[in-house]
Amino acid sequence: QVQLVESGGGLVQPGGSLRLSCAASGFMFRIYGMGWYRQAPGKERELVATITSSGSTNYADSVKGRFTISRDNAKNTVYLHMNSLKPEDTAVYYCNRDGKVRYPWGQGTQVTVSS
């Protein structure tokens, strides 16, 4: 049973920082690229950042320079370090395998950026 459990979200002020974690289980985590996605109210889910099995990263233009994706294969965990947060970053954040075929979505973690 594949499980993806996101955590670390919360309410922060603009300019603040958060670190999100995604604990994965039920598959061979090490061999797959992973990604962080987000969905804001009234909008479709969008890709935020990806990291390959070997550690190469890519970012959406909207977060480039502010967010950093990383992984710890020993812990089967993907992280998203978010700095200089903006109100536009407010969304539910999810992790999943990177690719067209994905595992069932977890519950996500809410990030709210507001003063």
Side-chain angles (χ1 to χ4, degrees):
Q1 176 71 29
V2 172
Q3 291 190 85
L4 299 166
V5 182
E6 300 91 347
S7 62
L11 174 63
V12 297
Q13 295 187 339
S17 299
L18 283 174
R19 186 186 75 167
L20 307 184
S21 298
C22 169
S25 62
F27 64 100
M28 293 186 67
F29 177 84
R30 294 183 302 168
I31 70 172
Y32 292 117
M34 297 292 292
W36 280 97
Y37 307 77
R38 67 186 182 187
Q39 187 167 27
K43 297 184 178 180
E44 64 284 338
R45 185 181 284 111
E46 65 174 345
L47 182 64
V48 174
T50 62
I51 184 166
T52 69
S53 60
S54 59
S56 297
T57 60
N58 281 290
Y59 300 90
D61 288 342
S62 58
V63 307
K64 193 171 298 182
R66 301 187 297 119
F67 291 10
T68 302
I69 186 172
S70 62
R71 65 192 297 160
D72 185 338
N73 289 337
K75 297 181 178 180
N76 282 188
T77 300
V78 184
Y79 303 97
L80 187 68
H81 297 257
M82 306 184 295
N83 299 311
S84 303
L85 283 162
K86 304 175 180 179
E88 309 92 90
D89 296 317
T90 296
V92 178
Y93 284 71
Y94 304 86
C95 66
N96 214 315
R97 175 181 174 180
D98 182 30
K100 293 184 178 180
V101 176
R102 309 202 195 285
Y103 297 123
W105 297 99
Q107 293 298 307
T109 185
Q110 175 72 50
V111 172
T112 302
V113 185
S114 177
S115 57

